[in-house]
Amino acid sequence: MRLSPRDRRLAADYRSIAQLLAESTILQADARGTPPQQYRFRFQGWGIGLNSKGEIAPRDEHEVIVELGAAYPRMMPTLTWRTPIFHPNISANGIVCLGGYGTHWVPSLTLSELCTMLWDIIRYKNFNIESPYNRDAAEWAR
């Protein structure tokens, strides 16, 4: 049976995530679908979140849901942050902005590269304070 280009890409992404998981000490993942079209990524490492009182506090567990919609990889995946995080480019309800990738998504960006970008978001190595989803976090980062 011949796979569609999308199914070949989903299978390639699955293999790249399996490789990343084998090499990583900070990433865990669950995948849904055959081939997977949804991932739950869990990162173990220092970042900034909000505690139960809504105060800025260190956080070492982060969870993101990545949904590879019907138009993926032509269109960017849907990213939803599930754990409380304090970041200029993540809204209060967990919607993630990847900066220029939001409007200029490139299908060649692999899912494992996207995981690296998410890890950089956690560590504040990837943020944009000029066009924030969270103005308080942007002011804090400034």
Side-chain angles (χ1 to χ4, degrees):
M1 178 171 84
R2 187 174 171 104
L3 296 176
S4 71
R6 180 174 186 275
D7 283 345
R8 284 195 306 270
R9 171 60 184 268
L10 292 172
D13 280 335
Y14 183 70
R15 288 189 302 274
S16 74
I17 292 300
Q19 172 91 28
L20 186 61
L21 291 169
E23 297 169 355
S24 177
T25 60
I26 56 116
L27 180 65
Q28 296 176 331
D30 297 321
R32 291 181 135 180
T34 307
Q37 298 177 43
Q38 183 187 65
Y39 290 83
R40 179 176 59 150
F41 293 115
R42 290 175 310 284
F43 296 88
Q44 300 290 317
W46 190 87
I48 297 171
L50 298 173
N51 64 20
S52 60
K53 297 177 185 177
E55 301 166 332
I56 300 167
R59 180 172 192 85
D60 64 358
E61 294 180 3
H62 311 271
E63 184 176 296
V64 183
I65 302 295
V66 177
E67 295 183 52
L68 309 174
Y72 176 82
R74 289 178 287 115
M75 300 293 290
M76 188 174 111
T78 301
L79 308 171
T80 308
W81 216 275
R82 302 292 298 196
T83 50
I85 189 164
F86 191 69
H87 192 280
N89 308 115
I90 302 174
S91 71
N93 61 352
I95 302 302
V96 180
C97 175
L98 291 178
Y101 283 111
T103 53
H104 305 290
W105 170 254
V106 289
S108 60
L109 186 71
T110 66
L111 194 54
S112 59
E113 291 169 328
L114 180 62
C115 278
T116 300
M117 292 173 73
L118 295 171
W119 177 234
D120 286 346
I121 284 173
I122 292 166
R123 301 180 300 155
Y124 267 80
K125 290 191 174 216
N126 180 355
F127 64 94
N128 177 357
I129 58 175
E130 302 306 320
S131 177
Y133 273 9
N134 181 329
R135 292 193 187 284
D136 292 337
E139 285 303 315
W140 181 87
R142 196 178 313 271

